[in-house]
């Protein structure tokens, strides 16, 4: 069972929120609550709620690591044939969080996943260069319209992903209380 730290609005302000974010916009000045309470402030954007609860000490390290693994697995699910080193890194990070792997195993898995990421970045750069050359041949208006559609779709996908992250983190925290 995990005990959740109680925070005040001033504690949140001490995290030095981004210039446009004031927790007083979403919470009364006398507010106190836990990470679960913050995650349930549905009027506040999911990104801001996650920003608050992922600060050191708000949630225990084990839960933060398991949440990071969950997020990584969600991202890997979007990739056709993800590199097995990335999947292994998630497995080892989860084992480490649960006390079944040591720091050396975690470091080795991280290094292998980093190598996989560099290989993927090289492939993405090649694909981007090819796409740029191909797009140059297209009509500028068509390219702009397509870019706008992709940007809108990406923004909607990010919003949905953040909402899913909040729901998952709430479930993790509730299962520990």
């Amino acid at each position: 069972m995990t005990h959740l730290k109680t925070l005040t609005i001033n504690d949140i302000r001490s995290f030095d929120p981004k210039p446009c974010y004031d927790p007083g916009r979403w919470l009364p000045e006398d507010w106190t609550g836990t990470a679960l309470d913050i995650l349930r402030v549905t009027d506040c954007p999911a990104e801001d709620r996650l920003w608050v609860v992922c600060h050191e000490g708000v949630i225990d390290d084990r839960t933060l690591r398991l949440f990071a693994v969950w997020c990584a697995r969600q991202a890997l699910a979007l990739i056709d044939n993800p590199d097995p080193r990335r999947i292994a890194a998630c497995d080892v990070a989860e084992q480490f969080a649960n006390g079944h792997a040591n720091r050396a195993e975690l470091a080795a898995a991280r290094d292998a996943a980093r190598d996989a990421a560099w290989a993927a970045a090289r492939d993405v750069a090649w694909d981007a260069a090819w796409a740029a050359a191909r797009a140059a041949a297209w009509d500028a208006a068509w390219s702009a319209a397509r870019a706008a559609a992709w940007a809108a779709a990406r923004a909607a996908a990010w919003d949905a992903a953040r909402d899913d992250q909040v729901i998952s983190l709430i479930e993790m925290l509730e299962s520990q209380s």
Side-chain angles (χ1 to χ4, degrees), residues 4 35 39 53-61 63-64 169 173:
L4 294 177
L39 290 169
V53 300
C54 287
H55 273 80
E56 186 176 349
V58 176
I59 297 176
D60 65 283
D61 290 342
T63 303
L64 278 175
L169 191 50
L173 292 170

Side-chain angles (χ1 to χ4, degrees), residues 15-70:
F15 299 154
D16 195 24
K18 48 192 168 188
C20 60
Y21 173 69
D22 177 15
R25 181 173 175 195
W26 312 109
L27 303 169
E29 287 299 318
D30 62 348
W31 180 88
T32 61
T34 66
L36 275 170
D37 298 318
I38 292 166
L39 290 169
R40 291 181 176 135
V41 180
T42 57
D43 291 341
C44 181
E47 180 179 0
D48 291 343
R49 290 180 275 158
L50 290 167
W51 179 85
V52 170
V53 300
C54 287
H55 273 80
E56 186 176 349
V58 176
I59 297 176
D60 65 283
D61 290 342
R62 177 180 179 268
T63 303
L64 278 175
R65 184 172 300 277
L66 292 173
F67 177 61
V69 169
W70 180 88

